[in-house]
Amino acid sequence: QVQLVESGGGLVQPGGSLRLSCAASGSIFVLDVMGWHRQAPGKQRELVATITNVGSTNYADSVKGRFTISRDDAKNTVYLQMNSLKRGGTAVYYCNRDQYDSSWQWHRYWGQGTQVTVSS
C-alpha cells in the first residue's frame, strides 16, 4: 500500500506564501510521479504541479512562476512552495503519487487533502 500524509495547509493573506508537504511510503517504480491537485468548492479537481523521480516538472499555467514543486527521495517527501498566493488559490490541495512498472502499467494514489484558504 501507499500512504500519503499531507501537512502545511492553512490560512494565508493574498500575496503570501505557504509550503505544503506530502510524506509518502512505498518503493520507487520505473517511473514515479508525485504531484499536487486542487479542488475549489463547486469546481473540478485540477492539476497544479507534478515532478518525476528524475526531477522533471510540470505546472498548470495558472501557477507558473509562482509555485515550485520539489521532492526529497531520501525523506520520501514532496513539497509545494506556493508564493504570491491569490484568492483563487483557495481550495483543498491533494497530494498524489503515480507509479509505473516496466510494462508501463500505472496506479494513482491520493492523499486525504489539506485546506488552503487565501483571505485578508
Side-chain angles (χ1 to χ4, degrees), residues 57-96:
T57 58
N58 186 47
Y59 297 92
D61 288 341
S62 60
V63 306
K64 285 181 179 178
R66 299 186 297 115
F67 290 12
T68 302
I69 189 170
S70 61
R71 64 190 292 166
D72 184 343
D73 288 330
K75 297 181 178 180
N76 216 2
T77 300
V78 65
Y79 305 94
L80 184 68
Q81 178 67 46
M82 304 186 294
N83 297 328
S84 301
L85 280 161
K86 304 175 181 179
R87 286 183 172 85
T90 295
V92 178
Y93 285 70
Y94 297 91
C95 177
N96 73 275

Side-chain angles (χ1 to χ4, degrees), residues 43-54:
K43 297 183 178 180
Q44 64 183 318
R45 189 174 299 187
E46 64 177 357
L47 171 72
V48 176
T50 63
I51 185 167
T52 72
N53 54 302
V54 294

